[in-house]
Amino acid sequence: MGAEAAHPQQQPPSSVRPCREAAAPAVLGLQLSALIDHVARVDWSLLDRVPGDRGGSQQVSIVELNHILNEVNTHILPSHNDLTPITTIAGGSVANTIRGLSAGFGISTGIIGACGDDNQGLLFVNNMSFSGVDLTRLRAKKGHTAQCVCLVDASGNRTMRPCLSSAVKIQANEFRKEDFKGSKWLIVRYAQQNMEQIIEAIRIAKQEGLSVSLDLASFEMVRDSRSKLINLLETGNIDLCFANEDEAREVIGGGLESDPEEALAFLGKYCKWAVVTLASKGCMAKHGKQVVQVPAIGESNAVDTTGAGDLFASGFLYGLVKGLPLEECCMVGACSGGSVTRALGGEVRPENWQWMYKQMHARGMLLPELKN
């Protein structure tokens, strides 16, 4: 398929579960199933034939996923700036966020989930461990690893088609207090089909004194299961909530004319921090009575917006971990979100981390302390 595998020079580790480090990661990500992204730049004619709304995320069967992958080669856009047309890499919103925190910000991270014993599972393990993510909470299971096709148009907008139905998954009864003990944050992505695991993980996390960050996943997910989402918010266990503009509209049940400020205020009733990202218009955030708006950084050079919201979350959480003011948390998020849009896929390349550090330095922001 001509795909560029992430860090192919690495050999797969002998075990997904090495000895537990003494110090718990500061930030944990809950990704029930390890996931591999196949990211491709394609023309509109393929997107016209893919079921579901453009720009969103809708689950497909393995047969449909393989059909889309077979079609991709005939609809690939010409590459430029040394970009490979297809990139295969460890993916998933939570994985993108914690990989960014570890690789770009020097924040210790770990992932809680399950990984299949297939080639995709090995690729996921290699990529995440290369980025410094602690995998001692990732359960190795016999079976398939989840996959997702990310179709990127000429404007850098992406359409996601994940295949999760046959993938191995961690179950609610597999969580242990030791998985959470000593960490500061748990990152969760909303998914109505995984509410049993999400609720149980949040329950244990709160018992262990962690703060919880929730990403709203997709406008389709919010639209189709808004009542379950509201119930989750009403528990008071969500400390931080991220929504993009489309998800924000669905949260308040509004149309295209809905005001993101209304959605921000709504989320702010339930969460200590609420953030609505506005693509090229930047973001809005609320903490208590304070509301800030920050412009986007680097959006005009976007090659692919895959992972932009996930990496924004990396920067924002870095700011919270370091105790930065709300506006500066947003500014760091804007820098990290902008950095990932400069190349294909949801992982920031080394040269784009350097671009981000320059943006942060120019704005007088706290630079990460990275280990050599």
Side-chain angles (χ1 to χ4, degrees), residues 190 220-233 249-254 266:
Y190 182 61
E220 296 100 330
M221 185 71 72
V222 178
R223 178 194 300 162
D224 294 343
S225 53
R226 182 176 179 273
S227 61
K228 289 184 179 179
L229 172 61
I230 301 304
N231 289 340
L232 180 59
L233 292 172
R249 289 192 190 102
E250 296 295 340
V251 163
I252 57 176
F266 179 84

Side-chain angles (χ1 to χ4, degrees), residues 240-257:
L240 166 62
C241 186
F242 292 103
N244 65 28
E245 198 167 6
D246 294 331
E247 293 155 4
R249 289 192 190 102
E250 296 295 340
V251 163
I252 57 176
L256 292 175
E257 69 285 352

Side-chain angles (χ1 to χ4, degrees), residues 88-157:
T88 300
I89 195 169
S93 174
V94 171
N96 290 341
T97 297
I98 63 171
R99 180 174 54 203
L101 273 166
S102 177
F105 290 102
I107 301 295
S108 60
T109 64
I111 190 165
I112 301 174
C115 183
D117 61 352
D118 52 6
N119 289 335
Q120 285 79 19
L122 291 177
L123 176 58
F124 183 89
V125 168
N126 284 346
N127 179 227
M128 297 302 285
S129 59
F130 181 88
S131 297
V133 177
D134 182 345
L135 301 181
T136 58
R137 297 158 183 80
L138 184 66
R139 278 66 161 173
K141 295 189 175 187
K142 290 188 177 297
H144 298 295
T145 301
Q147 300 182 69
C148 180
V149 181
C150 310
L151 304 173
V152 183
D153 66 24
S155 300
N157 300 312

Side-chain angles (χ1 to χ4, degrees), residues 149-172:
V149 181
C150 310
L151 304 173
V152 183
D153 66 24
S155 300
N157 300 312
R158 86 284 185 275
T159 298
M160 319 286 275
R161 292 296 178 265
C163 176
L164 310 176
S165 57
S166 62
V168 298
K169 180 189 298 187
I170 193 170
Q171 302 301 322

Side-chain angles (χ1 to χ4, degrees), residues 8 29 39 69 79 107 114 126 137 140 212 220 260 293 300 343 347 363 371:
V39 189
L69 287 175
S79 62
I107 301 295
N126 284 346
R137 297 158 183 80
V212 176
E220 296 100 330
Q293 185 159 3
S300 60
E347 180 180 39
R363 291 162 175 81
K371 298 176 183 178

Side-chain angles (χ1 to χ4, degrees), residues 312-326:
F312 176 94
S314 300
F316 191 93
L317 281 161
Y318 163 78
L320 288 185
V321 169
K322 294 296 185 180
L324 302 183
L326 181 63

Side-chain angles (χ1 to χ4, degrees), residues 57-330:
S57 178
Q58 180 173 307
Q59 292 198 37
V60 296
S61 68
I62 187 63
V63 173
E64 291 171 315
L65 180 133
N66 286 329
H67 175 72
I68 295 171
L69 287 175
N70 289 334
E71 289 285 307
V72 161
N73 276 327
T74 61
H75 295 84
I76 288 174
L77 290 176
S79 62
H80 60 89
N81 295 333
D82 297 322
L83 293 174
T84 53
I86 306 174
T87 299
T88 300
I89 195 169
S93 174
V94 171
N96 290 341
T97 297
I98 63 171
R99 180 174 54 203
L101 273 166
S102 177
F105 290 102
I107 301 295
S108 60
T109 64
I111 190 165
I112 301 174
C115 183
D117 61 352
D118 52 6
N119 289 335
Q120 285 79 19
L122 291 177
L123 176 58
F124 183 89
V125 168
N126 284 346
N127 179 227
M128 297 302 285
S129 59
F130 181 88
S131 297
V133 177
D134 182 345
L135 301 181
T136 58
R137 297 158 183 80
L138 184 66
R139 278 66 161 173
K141 295 189 175 187
K142 290 188 177 297
H144 298 295
T145 301
Q147 300 182 69
C148 180
V149 181
C150 310
L151 304 173
V152 183
D153 66 24
S155 300
N157 300 312
R158 86 284 185 275
T159 298
M160 319 286 275
R161 292 296 178 265
C163 176
L164 310 176
S165 57
S166 62
V168 298
K169 180 189 298 187
I170 193 170
Q171 302 301 322
N173 61 5
E174 296 180 78
F175 297 134
R176 302 184 302 267
K177 285 188 176 182
E178 292 76 17
D179 292 332
F180 302 84
K181 192 175 185 64
S183 294
K184 297 179 180 178
W185 280 92
L186 176 68
I187 300 174
V188 178
R189 180 176 171 86
Y190 182 61
Q192 60 88 17
Q193 71 273 19
N194 296 325
M195 289 306 293
E196 181 185 2
Q197 293 98 319
I198 289 172
I199 290 170
E200 178 63 7
I202 291 174
R203 184 188 69 81
I204 300 175
K206 300 308 286 188
Q207 282 186 349
E208 294 300 318
L210 279 70
S211 297
V212 176
S213 170
L214 178 70
D215 178 90
L216 295 193
S218 71
F219 64 85
E220 296 100 330
M221 185 71 72
V222 178
R223 178 194 300 162
D224 294 343
S225 53
R226 182 176 179 273
S227 61
K228 289 184 179 179
L229 172 61
I230 301 304
N231 289 340
L232 180 59
L233 292 172
E234 287 178 342
T235 64
N237 288 331
I238 307 302
D239 299 280
L240 166 62
C241 186
F242 292 103
N244 65 28
E245 198 167 6
D246 294 331
E247 293 155 4
R249 289 192 190 102
E250 296 295 340
V251 163
I252 57 176
L256 292 175
E257 69 285 352
S258 297
D259 189 342
E261 293 184 13
E262 183 182 351
L264 186 72
F266 179 84
L267 293 172
K269 291 192 302 182
Y270 304 105
C271 308
K272 189 179 297 185
W273 296 275
V275 182
V276 176
T277 55
L278 305 170
S280 61
K281 298 189 291 292
C283 74
M284 303 175 64
K286 188 176 189 299
H287 175 51
K289 295 182 179 180
Q290 183 186 13
V291 176
V292 300
Q293 185 159 3
V294 170
I297 297 173
E299 185 75 25
S300 60
N301 295 318
V303 172
D304 171 17
T305 58
T306 302
D310 306 333
L311 269 295
F312 176 94
S314 300
F316 191 93
L317 281 161
Y318 163 78
L320 288 185
V321 169
K322 294 296 185 180
L324 302 183
L326 181 63
E327 184 173 12
E328 194 161 342
C329 290
C330 291

